[in-house]
Amino acid sequence: MKYLGTAFAAFALLWFPASAEAHTYMEESTPEDGETVEEDLNEVHVIFDSPIQDYNIADLYDEEGEPVLGDVIHEPVDEVVFSTDDPLPNGDYTFEFEIISEDGHIIEDTIAFAVDQEEDAAAVQEEQETSEEETASEEEGNTDEADTAGAAEEEGNGNTLVLAGTVILLVLVAGALFFLIRRKK
């Protein structure tokens, strides 16, 4: 029975060190959560307190819940940047992200902010976006299927690591128990 306790202690030491490590947290964002931006804005920056492995989700949504087209950059390793070609028009926005921290944990959060530019600049920007939206909607129809497949694949990466770690640890514990039982006989 004392070997069973030893085996359990070994399992706990092997499995739980990852949970003892500090998780990654958002250190700062530009714009900040709840901020109203009164100037041109075409980038959302999120900086974390430690390096991140990757991101699963980094999306910007307008006040109707429609996705805003843009590019995501994960460079440097502790930052995620969402950028658009043109400044965002007036309105409320939500930036959602889900990252894989350096220790393998998935961290997700949302940043809500508003853009409130002078009316002249906003009107010119809205006219430009209307023509771009027509072009983008035609292009978007071609890329939606590829984006969905890529998102599904990225979601599975974090779960695969946890599953693989669990299987390896179970095999190690089973081997240790087998060895201890054979040794006892």
Side-chain angles (χ1 to χ4, degrees), residues 27 65 79 87 110 143-144 149:
E27 192 169 78
E79 188 172 340
T110 302
T143 61
D144 279 346

Side-chain angles (χ1 to χ4, degrees), residues 141-156:
N142 297 336
T143 61
D144 279 346
E145 292 175 14
D147 290 344
T148 303
E153 182 180 321
E154 288 178 5
E155 278 183 30

Side-chain angles (χ1 to χ4, degrees), residues 37-105:
V37 179
E38 296 178 350
E39 55 200 33
D40 284 347
L41 178 70
N42 63 341
E43 288 187 342
V44 177
H45 291 262
V46 181
I47 300 173
F48 300 93
D49 65 347
S50 61
I52 61 173
Q53 290 183 24
D54 205 355
Y55 66 91
N56 285 337
I57 298 170
D59 295 319
L60 182 63
Y61 298 95
D62 63 17
E63 56 196 15
E64 283 90 33
E66 295 295 319
V68 176
L69 296 176
D71 297 316
V72 179
I73 301 168
H74 172 227
E75 213 172 278
V77 294
D78 64 343
E79 188 172 340
V80 172
V81 178
F82 182 93
S83 63
T84 61
D85 291 334
D86 298 311
L88 298 171
N90 288 349
D92 295 327
Y93 294 89
T94 305
F95 182 69
E96 295 180 4
F97 64 87
E98 181 178 287
I99 58 111
I100 301 172
S101 66
E102 188 174 42
D103 63 3
H105 289 88

